[in-house]
Amino acid sequence: QVQLVESGGGLVQPGGSLRLSCAASGPIREINYMGWYRQAPGEERKLVATITGSITTNYADSVKGRFTISRDIARNTVYLQMNSLKPEDTAVYYCTARIATFRYGEMNYWGKGTLVTVSS
């Protein structure tokens, strides 16, 4: 079965940086896009960034200029470089991908999430 496994979360001071990674594994035939969402306490899950192919990106306004999404297509891995972090970036970050397997058509998959805490 397809799995998405995130890593790289943790505690960082305001103004600091973190890099999240998410690797997809399993019977993958094709990955359409990969991306990141986040969910802060008491809030809905919201888009952070997505990447289609290796060039086409989309960012939430709140992270533009601070976060960069990238992708290693050969390794089925997506990254999120987060700079100039703010306390309001504190959330559980979820990896997502739209994946076609050898048995099924395209489906959306989610990781279990990694916690990012921005605090002094």
Side-chain angles (χ1 to χ4, degrees):
Q1 65 186 34
V2 172
Q3 288 188 321
L4 300 180
V5 178
E6 303 104 332
S7 61
L11 174 64
V12 63
Q13 292 187 343
S17 298
L18 279 176
R19 188 190 193 210
L20 305 183
S21 300
C22 171
S25 63
I28 297 169
R29 178 170 58 84
E30 182 181 16
I31 299 180
N32 185 336
Y33 69 79
M34 302 186 79
W36 295 91
Y37 281 67
R38 67 186 181 187
Q39 187 168 18
E43 296 186 11
E44 295 181 349
R45 192 174 297 187
K46 298 178 182 177
L47 169 72
V48 176
T50 62
I51 183 166
T52 303
S54 59
I55 298 176
T56 304
T57 58
N58 179 46
Y59 294 93
D61 288 342
S62 59
V63 306
K64 283 181 180 177
R66 300 188 298 122
F67 291 10
T68 302
I69 190 169
S70 61
R71 181 177 168 186
D72 186 332
I73 293 177
R75 290 182 168 83
N76 292 334
T77 300
V78 64
Y79 306 96
L80 186 68
Q81 178 66 43
M82 304 185 294
N83 299 328
S84 302
L85 283 161
K86 305 174 181 179
E88 50 264 43
D89 294 317
T90 295
V92 177
Y93 284 70
Y94 294 92
C95 175
T96 185
R98 187 158 182 86
I99 296 173
T101 62
F102 290 101
R103 184 171 184 178
Y104 302 108
E106 285 190 346
M107 294 175 59
N108 290 328
Y109 293 86
W110 292 87
K112 294 182 178 180
T114 184
L115 177 63
V116 172
T117 303
V118 185
S119 175
S120 55

